[in-house]
Amino acid sequence: MKKTQGFELPDSLKSDHHRAKKLEYWTLGYMVTVIVLLYFTMGSSQAMKTAWTEDLLTLLPPLGFLIAAKVAVKPPSKKFPYGYHRANSIAFLVAAVALFGIGAFLIYDGVAALLKKEHPTINSVSVFGKTVWMGWIMIAALVYSAVGPVILGIKKLPIAKKLHNKVLYTDAKTNQADYLTAGAAGLGIIGIGLGWWWADAAAALVIAIDILHDGYTQVASAVTDLMDRTPRTVNEKKYDKVVYDIQKLFNELPWVQSAEVRFREEGQVYFGEAFVVPKENVSGLIDQAEEARKQAQSLSWRIFDLTVSLVKQIPDEQTEDLKETETAAQ
């Protein structure tokens, strides 16, 4: 059975990948301290409870990234001849489903609290002999919960783009948005202090809706990637232009009459096929097809596996589909 080659990042990206793993370990360590701190300061606040739950969920993407980083580089086997690249996609899907499910539950929990008209209270505590409203301690904990992740998210984002790693990219964007969760929870606590009983549950509901939205977006992206959608950039906004650079390369080869390429995304890398109609009376087709494959793969490290097939004809509808998708990538 023909197996793909083993996978290694190019030397220019290995240091970035090592740095990404270090940042994910830092994220796990920092978030554990945040989770412990919020747990002991949340009191009866629904908003704090929801913020604490979201912080628990933020452990999933870094864990998924670190596990996938070990699995994806395993060499292909007889059982998995294409390798283990989709470990990244599976990690992305698992984290997204968890995010969506918890978001839906928290919305239910927040709506239930509003309908019950629960009146949470925040007591005062003695700190070094002085009476301090617990709300200020909660807000300080929320500030701590936001500062670290925002800094880590800023550091991860450019690395995620370089590595074309959607798990890392999603984690970075989630970290960067942590200040919104902290801000919403803080407003809920202040609302309780002002006597607005509904402010806490409303703030919790806002956070829960944001979690649900992120979960839905990520589930949709993960599922479509697993369904072999044409590769997109890590921010999901455009189709990856490298696919059309390869299409252009094949169309411009002197021995090619017409060509059509298709690619699918497997974790950080792309697998694809090029269907080529050669011109008549062209000699050395096997050598020329092999050289074209090497040229195409040299365009990007993401083009991991490419098969060149010589065919007699390409259906017109396939060419039209490609033109539409190419326009969307510009």
mmCIF file of all heavy atoms in Angstrom, residues 111-119 197:
data_model
loop_
_atom_site.group_PDB
_atom_site.id
_atom_site.type_symbol
_atom_site.label_atom_id
_atom_site.label_comp_id
_atom_site.label_asym_id
_atom_site.label_seq_id
_atom_site.Cartn_x
_atom_site.Cartn_y
_atom_site.Cartn_z
ATOM 1 N N VAL A 111 -31.362 32.504 31.288
ATOM 2 C CA VAL A 111 -32.788 32.822 31.091
ATOM 3 C C VAL A 111 -33.602 32.353 32.296
ATOM 4 O O VAL A 111 -34.506 33.063 32.772
ATOM 5 C CB VAL A 111 -33.310 32.159 29.793
ATOM 6 C CG1 VAL A 111 -34.827 32.269 29.707
ATOM 7 C CG2 VAL A 111 -32.661 32.804 28.570
ATOM 8 N N ALA A 112 -33.272 31.166 32.807
ATOM 9 C CA ALA A 112 -33.975 30.638 33.979
ATOM 10 C C ALA A 112 -33.801 31.564 35.180
ATOM 11 O O ALA A 112 -34.752 31.818 35.933
ATOM 12 C CB ALA A 112 -33.465 29.241 34.312
ATOM 13 N N ALA A 113 -32.599 32.098 35.362
ATOM 14 C CA ALA A 113 -32.348 33.007 36.479
ATOM 15 C C ALA A 113 -33.164 34.293 36.343
ATOM 16 O O ALA A 113 -33.684 34.827 37.338
ATOM 17 C CB ALA A 113 -30.855 33.331 36.556
ATOM 18 N N LEU A 114 -33.291 34.786 35.094
ATOM 19 C CA LEU A 114 -34.088 36.002 34.870
ATOM 20 C C LEU A 114 -35.564 35.732 35.139
ATOM 21 O O LEU A 114 -36.258 36.555 35.756
ATOM 22 C CB LEU A 114 -33.894 36.501 33.436
ATOM 23 C CG LEU A 114 -32.625 37.295 33.147
ATOM 24 C CD1 LEU A 114 -32.508 37.579 31.654
ATOM 25 C CD2 LEU A 114 -32.614 38.620 33.925
ATOM 26 N N LEU A 115 -36.052 34.580 34.666
ATOM 27 C CA LEU A 115 -37.474 34.258 34.861
ATOM 28 C C LEU A 115 -37.806 34.033 36.338
ATOM 29 O O LEU A 115 -38.907 34.365 36.795
ATOM 30 C CB LEU A 115 -37.832 33.010 34.043
ATOM 31 C CG LEU A 115 -37.798 33.191 32.511
ATOM 32 C CD1 LEU A 115 -38.075 31.868 31.813
ATOM 33 C CD2 LEU A 115 -38.809 34.251 32.066
ATOM 34 N N LYS A 116 -36.858 33.488 37.087
ATOM 35 C CA LYS A 116 -37.084 33.258 38.515
ATOM 36 C C LYS A 116 -36.936 34.539 39.335
ATOM 37 O O LYS A 116 -37.266 34.578 40.520
ATOM 38 C CB LYS A 116 -36.083 32.217 39.038
ATOM 39 C CG LYS A 116 -36.324 30.815 38.500
ATOM 40 C CD LYS A 116 -35.228 29.864 39.004
ATOM 41 C CE LYS A 116 -35.384 28.463 38.436
ATOM 42 N NZ LYS A 116 -34.260 27.567 38.863
ATOM 43 N N LYS A 117 -36.407 35.589 38.683
ATOM 44 C CA LYS A 117 -36.162 36.880 39.351
ATOM 45 C C LYS A 117 -35.307 36.696 40.611
ATOM 46 O O LYS A 117 -35.617 37.220 41.686
ATOM 47 C CB LYS A 117 -37.491 37.561 39.703
ATOM 48 C CG LYS A 117 -38.325 37.921 38.483
ATOM 49 C CD LYS A 117 -39.582 38.678 38.863
ATOM 50 C CE LYS A 117 -40.394 39.064 37.637
ATOM 51 N NZ LYS A 117 -41.620 39.813 37.956
ATOM 52 N N GLU A 118 -34.238 35.931 40.411
ATOM 53 C CA GLU A 118 -33.342 35.705 41.536
ATOM 54 C C GLU A 118 -32.624 36.999 41.909
ATOM 55 O O GLU A 118 -32.175 37.745 41.046
ATOM 56 C CB GLU A 118 -32.319 34.616 41.177
ATOM 57 C CG GLU A 118 -32.951 33.244 40.945
ATOM 58 C CD GLU A 118 -31.932 32.206 40.512
ATOM 59 O OE1 GLU A 118 -30.795 32.612 40.187
ATOM 60 O OE2 GLU A 118 -32.261 31.006 40.493
ATOM 61 N N HIS A 119 -32.484 37.263 43.188
ATOM 62 C CA HIS A 119 -31.837 38.471 43.679
ATOM 63 C C HIS A 119 -30.503 38.096 44.350
ATOM 64 O O HIS A 119 -30.462 37.845 45.556
ATOM 65 C CB HIS A 119 -32.733 39.207 44.681
ATOM 66 C CG HIS A 119 -33.927 39.857 44.048
ATOM 67 N ND1 HIS A 119 -34.884 39.144 43.359
ATOM 68 C CD2 HIS A 119 -34.310 41.163 44.002
ATOM 69 C CE1 HIS A 119 -35.812 39.969 42.915
ATOM 70 N NE2 HIS A 119 -35.482 41.214 43.292
ATOM 71 N N TRP A 197 -31.197 43.865 40.405
ATOM 72 C CA TRP A 197 -31.127 42.423 40.563
ATOM 73 C C TRP A 197 -30.942 41.693 39.232
ATOM 74 O O TRP A 197 -30.340 40.618 39.162
ATOM 75 C CB TRP A 197 -32.378 41.902 41.259
ATOM 76 C CG TRP A 197 -33.636 42.082 40.435
ATOM 77 C CD1 TRP A 197 -34.503 43.129 40.480
ATOM 78 C CD2 TRP A 197 -34.139 41.180 39.438
ATOM 79 N NE1 TRP A 197 -35.518 42.951 39.575
ATOM 80 C CE2 TRP A 197 -35.321 41.756 38.924
ATOM 81 C CE3 TRP A 197 -33.714 39.946 38.944
ATOM 82 C CZ2 TRP A 197 -36.083 41.157 37.940
ATOM 83 C CZ3 TRP A 197 -34.469 39.346 37.947
ATOM 84 C CH2 TRP A 197 -35.644 39.940 37.464
#
